[in-house]
């Protein structure tokens, strides 16, 4: 039976396989012949936070705290990474609203 739940946070599409560790992440896009994408440790931290349901703002704060980095700099880098992953179809954005059925 198909999974009819609708994801409300960031999530990976069904064609992306991911391995995420504290040392980084590897994303495999299985469309066509398959393409690997490597993500550095802060990017892996971002993915972990977003896939666990955090907003981008909360994920950025967590990364800034963890790395003792300037929040504004982290925001710039992580918002660019998030946009790039979404543009490539490797990460799907949260749904804008709940179904009304």
């Amino acid at each position: 039976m198909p999974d009819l739940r609708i994801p409300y946070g960031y999530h990976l599409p069904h064609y992306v396989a991911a391995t995420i560790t504290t040392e980084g992440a590897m994303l495999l896009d299985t469309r066509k012949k398959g393409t690997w994408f490597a993500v550095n440790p802060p990017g892996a931290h971002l993915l972990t936070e977003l896939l666990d349901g955090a907003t981008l703002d909360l994920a950025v704060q967590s990364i800034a705290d963890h790395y003792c980095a300037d929040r504004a700099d982290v925001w710039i880098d992580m918002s660019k990474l998030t946009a790039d992953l979404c543009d490539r179809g490797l990460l799907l954005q949260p749904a804008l609203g709940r179904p009304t059925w």
Side-chain angles (χ1 to χ4, degrees):
M1 180 170 192
D3 185 355
L4 299 177
R5 293 175 296 168
I6 297 175
Y8 293 104
Y10 284 93
H11 56 284
L12 299 175
H14 65 87
Y15 52 81
V16 172
T19 299
I20 304 170
T21 72
T22 57
E23 296 179 12
M26 293 296 295
L27 303 175
L28 174 62
D29 183 344
T30 62
R31 296 175 291 185
K32 301 180 185 175
K33 293 184 180 183
T35 304
W36 286 98
F37 295 88
V39 180
N40 65 11
H45 189 145
L46 173 75
L47 282 171
T48 299
E49 292 286 333
L50 294 178
L51 295 174
D52 283 347
T55 62
L56 180 57
D57 192 54
L58 289 174
V60 164
Q61 188 61 55
S62 175
I63 294 164
D65 292 347
H66 180 81
Y67 290 98
C68 299
D70 180 69
R71 189 183 185 293
D73 291 338
V74 174
W75 176 263
I76 291 168
D77 292 342
M78 293 302 126
S79 59
K80 284 181 183 177
L81 176 59
T82 302
D84 186 46
L85 292 172
C86 289
D87 289 346
R88 292 174 183 261
L90 301 172
L91 182 66
L92 299 177
Q93 298 180 29
L96 297 177
R98 298 200 177 263
T100 56
W101 50 56

